[in-house]
Amino acid sequence: GENVEQHPSTLSVQEGDSAVIKCTYSDSASNYFPWYKQELGKGPQLIIDIRSNVGEKKDQRIAVTLNKTAKHFSLHITETQPEDSAVYFCAASIRTDKLIFGTGTRLQVFP
Amino acid sequence: DAGVIQSPRHEVTEMGQEVTLRCKPISGHDYLFWYRQTMMRGLELLIYFNNNVPIDDSGMPEDRFSAKMPNASFSTLKIQPSEPRDSAVYFCASRTGTGYEKLFFGSGTQLSVL
């Protein structure tokens, strides 16, 4: 079955700096790669996703890149703000039938 | 819509007791998922349903765990008997079945087994 590895487990950045989180997946058939953000005491929420026919996708300060050959994808947050502090999860699946999540990255943005 | 509703928010029980977690998915969503979150393993998929039918329960850790979905608006996850290693946050999530649709998560149930 699919296995998703995520790094780093914790990330601390200064406000205004960029943050990058990386994930690798094992199943070459996976074609859907979402990112979820979890704030304290809440369930994860989708922030951006990418399908295998696209190499990069942007939404304001957030971007995701996908390298299907290497089976890895990354989340990039630019101009970080304190409200970006949260736990971020990557995931992979074939469509969205069975999302397999990484172990999460705790991002802290210091003012 | 109120979103995915889980109850209770917190559950503290003693080892050996039965625990029942409840979930009400968003109306109209025909997929329902149960996940378990721990520091060591992150978000693990336990089981998911489509139109109230269990599709994949390969993530259920042991026979002590069982899940049901008697109708489109209600699901339960039961642990009997509970053990301290079951302590975790349990999330329910739902989505529509039209393809690449996002999951909507509930706020979770924090389970502590003493």
Side-chain angles (χ1 to χ4, degrees), chain B residues 1 9 17 35 38-39 64-65 73 75 85-86 89 96 98-99 102:
Chain B
D1 199 317
R9 285 300 307 273
Q17 296 298 305
Y35 282 89
T38 60
M39 288 293 293
R64 299 184 295 107
F65 286 70
S73 59
S75 177
R85 59 195 169 113
D86 301 331
V89 181
T96 61
T98 55
K102 71 177 179 179

Side-chain angles (χ1 to χ4, degrees), chain A residues 50-58 63-68 72-74 76:
Chain A
I50 191 169
R51 302 183 193 180
S52 59
N53 58 348
V54 176
E56 183 176 0
K57 184 177 179 180
K58 289 183 179 179
V64 58
T65 59
L66 172 65
N67 183 328
K68 285 210 70 180
H72 66 71
F73 56 113
S74 301
H76 304 252

Side-chain angles (χ1 to χ4, degrees), chain A residues 36 38 41 89 96 98-99, chain B residues 35 37 56 91 95 99 103:
Chain A
Y36 281 74
Q38 184 182 26
F89 290 96
T96 52
K98 186 175 175 178
L99 273 180
Chain B
Y35 282 89
Q37 183 178 21
D56 187 336
F91 286 102
R95 67 167 177 86
L103 282 181

